[in-house]
Amino acid sequence: GENVEQHPSTLSVQEGDSAVIKCTYSDSASNYFPWYKQELGKRPQLIIDIRSNVGEKKDQRIAVTLNKTAKHFSLHITETQPEDSAVYFCAAANPLLYSSASKIIFGSGTRLSIRP
Amino acid sequence: DAGITQSPRHKVTETGTPVTLRCHQTENHRYMYWYRQDPGHGLRLIHYSYGVKDTDKGEVSDGYSVSRSKTEDFLLTLESATSSQTSVYFCAIGAGVTDTQYFGPGTRLTVL
């Protein structure tokens, strides 16, 4: 089955600097890769996602890159701000629609702290 | 937030007792998921459903069962709760595996 590894588990960056979180996956059939942000005491929420037919996607200060050959994808946050402090989760999904074989697996999370 | 609620929001119970958590949605999404969240482990999938009466196991399904008799409700049952099942449980909904998942507010379960 799918296995998703996420690194680092904790990350501290100076406000205004960039942050990068990396994930690797094992199932070559996975073709959907979302990133979720979870603020303290709150529920996870989707911040950006990428599908396997795209190599990079940007949304303002956030970008995600995907390397299908190497089976890894990364989240990039530029010009970090205090409100970026949170736990970030990557995930990989196998898209067999309406099938018991379809699965989504999450990484173990990265706690990002922004230093003022 | 999407129309998804969980009940109860907090529960304290004793080892060996049965516990049922409820997830209710008003979005008519086909997929529903149960996760547990523990420090250092992120979100681990317990069970999920891809339609009414269609369910399957996730990564950590031992000790848990689920039922989905109608689109809007997905129940998670701990037949005989153990201390290792102390966790925060999140329900999520989505149109498909490769679509956005919307999470519920979570249930904090403590098994003494």
Side-chain angles (χ1 to χ4, degrees):
Chain A
E2 177 67 279
N3 182 48
V4 177
E5 294 191 357
Q6 183 171 347
H7 300 281
S9 58
T10 60
L11 179 61
S12 178
V13 301
Q14 192 77 31
E15 182 177 351
D17 288 350
S18 296
V20 180
I21 302 170
K22 299 181 179 181
C23 289
T24 60
Y25 63 99
S26 61
D27 187 353
S28 57
S30 292
N31 74 350
Y32 176 64
F33 308 93
W35 287 88
Y36 287 80
K37 175 183 180 182
Q38 186 179 25
E39 297 177 356
L40 188 63
K42 297 190 176 181
R43 70 191 79 184
Q45 292 192 308
L46 181 77
I47 55 172
I48 194 167
D49 57 12
I50 192 167
R51 300 182 188 272
S52 61
N53 58 346
V54 175
E56 183 176 5
K57 184 177 179 180
K58 290 183 179 180
D59 182 3
Q60 299 182 339
R61 297 185 297 107
I62 294 173
V64 57
T65 58
L66 171 65
N67 183 326
K68 285 216 72 180
T69 302
K71 295 182 188 172
H72 67 71
F73 55 112
S74 301
L75 178 71
H76 305 253
I77 306 174
T78 59
E79 300 174 7
T80 53
Q81 301 171 3
E83 55 264 36
D84 294 330
S85 292
V87 178
Y88 292 81
F89 295 98
C90 65
N94 179 328
L96 294 177
L97 194 61
Y98 307 146
S99 164
S100 63
S102 59
K103 293 283 171 65
I104 183 166
I105 301 296
F106 281 79
S108 55
T110 296
R111 183 175 299 279
L112 175 63
S113 301
I114 307 301
R115 303 190 304 271
Chain B
D1 292 323
I4 176 170
T5 58
Q6 292 182 231
S7 60
R9 294 292 314 281
H10 301 271
K11 186 171 182 67
V12 179
T13 191
E14 294 185 351
T15 298
T17 60
V19 176
T20 295
L21 308 183
R22 180 181 183 237
C23 178
H24 179 77
Q25 63 149 329
T26 57
E27 304 296 322
N28 201 37
H29 280 318
R30 188 177 182 116
Y31 280 77
M32 298 185 76
Y33 309 82
W34 277 108
Y35 295 92
R36 61 177 289 173
Q37 185 172 37
D38 306 289
H41 292 280
L43 292 160
R44 291 184 292 175
L45 183 64
I46 304 172
H47 282 279
Y48 69 105
S49 170
Y50 50 99
V52 173
K53 298 186 179 179
D54 291 322
T55 65
D56 200 7
K57 297 178 180 180
E59 307 167 78
V60 290
S61 59
D62 288 348
Y64 302 94
S65 62
V66 290
S67 65
R68 191 169 179 201
S69 59
K70 39 185 182 174
T71 300
E72 57 267 34
D73 289 325
F74 193 33
L75 304 181
L76 176 71
T77 297
L78 291 65
E79 300 292 346
S80 178
T82 68
S83 58
S84 64
Q85 293 176 312
T86 292
S87 187
V88 177
Y89 291 85
F90 283 100
C91 175
I93 63 174
V97 172
T98 56
D99 292 290
T100 303
Q101 288 193 28
Y102 300 94
F103 285 81
T107 295
R108 183 171 296 276
L109 175 67
T110 302
V111 184
L112 301 176

